[in-house]
């Protein structure tokens, strides 16, 4: 299989390189609710969303709900999925719970929604990393065969956010490592745990792109080429530009 970054123009930390490669290959595998082909179609649609005229007009508008129209899309996914992917990709800072309720009213399963969001974020994160090191996004891998189980995880309960999540005390073997060292106190870590694999696959990548929770209070000794202060400056600036108010 072709590697994600065959000849990168800069040195990538070995643990990060491994995490990127693993996440890239997992996108092609069947998930809990989506086939490998559907997961790759979600990533392709997230890439395409940046060229969508409707998304561009909505992003520039005072409210995205002031602009009606149809998304420019690749034609491989249902329109309800396309709206989720485009909104999460281009205008996530203005999503609302009412919008989500409307999405679920179209027939998308809550679990399905969580996996779509998780896959889109992984694809966006990998493409952003590629852009950051000055290379073009890699071609998508071939989808792997197999059918998703499409069985609801029974450890989840409503809240504390807009979708059901799994409390640390209900983690079970599937999420025990995900919640190690008190990580379950953070809602962002808990956010995709309605579908355990969506949460664990995403954070296996995010922990390497940023840092694992046990190191989050460390100010020195971070194994990076820039200081912790520089890391947080970049994170704060990116959050401001992208409308992330977590």
């Amino acid at each position: 299989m072709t590697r994600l970054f065959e000849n990168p123009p800069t040195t990538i930390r070995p643990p990060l390189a491994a995490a990127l490669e693993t996440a890239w290959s997992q996108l092609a595998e069947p998930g809990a609710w989506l086939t490998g082909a559907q997961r790759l179609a979600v990533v392709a649609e997230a890439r395409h969303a940046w060229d969508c005229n409707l998304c561009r007009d909505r992003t520039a508008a005072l409210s995205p709900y002031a602009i009606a129209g149809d998304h420019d899309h690749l034609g491989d996914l249902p329109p309800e999925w396309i709206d989720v992917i485009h909104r999460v990709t281009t205008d996530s800072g203005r999503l609302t719970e009412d919008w989500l309720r409307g999405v679920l009213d179209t027939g998308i399963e809550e679990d399905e929604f969580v996996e779509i969001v998780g896959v889109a974020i992984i694809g966006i994160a990998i493409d952003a990393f590629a852009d950051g090191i000055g290379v073009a996004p890699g071609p998508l891998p071939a989808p792997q065969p197999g059918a998703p189980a499409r069985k609801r995880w029974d450890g989840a309960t409503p809240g504390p956010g807009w979708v059901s999540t799994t409390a640390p005390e209900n983690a079970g073997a599937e999420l025990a490592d995900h919640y190690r060292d008190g990580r379950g106190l953070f809602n962002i870590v808990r956010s995709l745990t309605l579908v355990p694999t969506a949460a664990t696959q995403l954070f296996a990548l995010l922990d390497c792109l940023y840092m694992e929770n046990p190191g989050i209070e460390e100010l020195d000794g971070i194994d990076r080429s820039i200081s912790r202060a520089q890391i947080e400056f970049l994170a704060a600036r990116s959050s401001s530009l992208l409308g992330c108010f977590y």
Side-chain angles (χ1 to χ4, degrees):
M1 186 176 83
T2 302
R3 294 179 63 83
L4 177 58
F5 299 116
E6 290 286 355
N7 297 294
T10 188
T11 300
I12 304 174
R13 286 179 287 113
L16 176 56
L20 287 161
E21 293 287 352
T22 296
W24 194 243
S25 64
Q26 286 173 337
L27 289 173
E29 299 170 357
W33 286 78
L34 277 63
T35 65
Q38 287 173 323
R39 287 164 63 87
L40 291 171
V42 169
V43 177
E45 194 61 53
R47 287 178 167 182
H48 185 71
W50 297 111
D51 296 320
C52 173
N53 288 313
L54 176 62
C55 289
R56 188 177 296 115
D57 291 343
R58 283 180 168 175
T59 301
L62 182 62
S63 167
Y65 304 102
I67 308 296
D70 297 318
H71 291 287
D72 300 317
H73 59 88
L74 298 174
D76 296 325
L77 294 170
E80 297 82 13
W81 289 32
I82 290 166
D83 185 62
V84 169
I85 297 162
H86 281 230
R87 291 290 303 276
V88 166
T89 301
T90 66
D91 202 12
S92 58
R94 295 193 292 178
L95 301 180
T96 67
E97 186 173 5
D98 284 344
W99 167 80
L100 172 60
R101 297 304 159 207
V103 167
L104 298 180
D105 286 344
T106 67
I108 294 179
E109 297 287 348
E110 189 181 34
D111 321 65
E112 216 169 36
F113 170 84
V114 167
E115 186 165 328
I116 291 168
V117 170
V119 167
I121 294 171
I122 290 173
I124 293 166
I126 293 174
D127 283 354
F129 180 86
D131 186 55
I133 64 172
V135 301
L140 296 177
Q144 299 302 302
R150 293 186 62 84
K151 181 180 179 182
R152 189 174 180 88
W153 164 247
D154 59 9
T157 54
W162 300 346
V163 297
S164 300
T165 63
T166 305
E169 59 268 24
N170 298 328
E174 290 82 353
L175 289 166
D177 189 57
H178 183 68
Y179 280 155
R180 68 190 183 281
D181 298 310
R183 286 160 56 101
L185 297 174
F186 298 95
N187 285 345
I188 193 168
V189 176
R190 187 169 166 174
S191 58
L192 300 182
T193 54
L194 172 60
V195 182
T197 53
T200 56
Q201 289 180 1
L202 175 61
F203 275 86
L205 176 60
L206 296 188
D207 283 347
C208 283
L209 284 170
Y210 179 46
M211 65 185 69
E212 292 190 57
N213 179 57
I216 206 154
E217 295 181 356
E218 297 176 14
L219 300 180
D220 300 303
I222 304 298
D223 182 23
R224 302 290 188 272
S225 298
I226 60 177
S227 70
R228 179 65 190 274
Q230 290 172 315
I231 291 172
E232 297 305 331
F233 175 81
L234 291 172
R237 181 59 176 156
S238 299
S239 295
S240 176
L241 291 172
L242 297 173
C244 174
F245 307 111
Y246 174 73

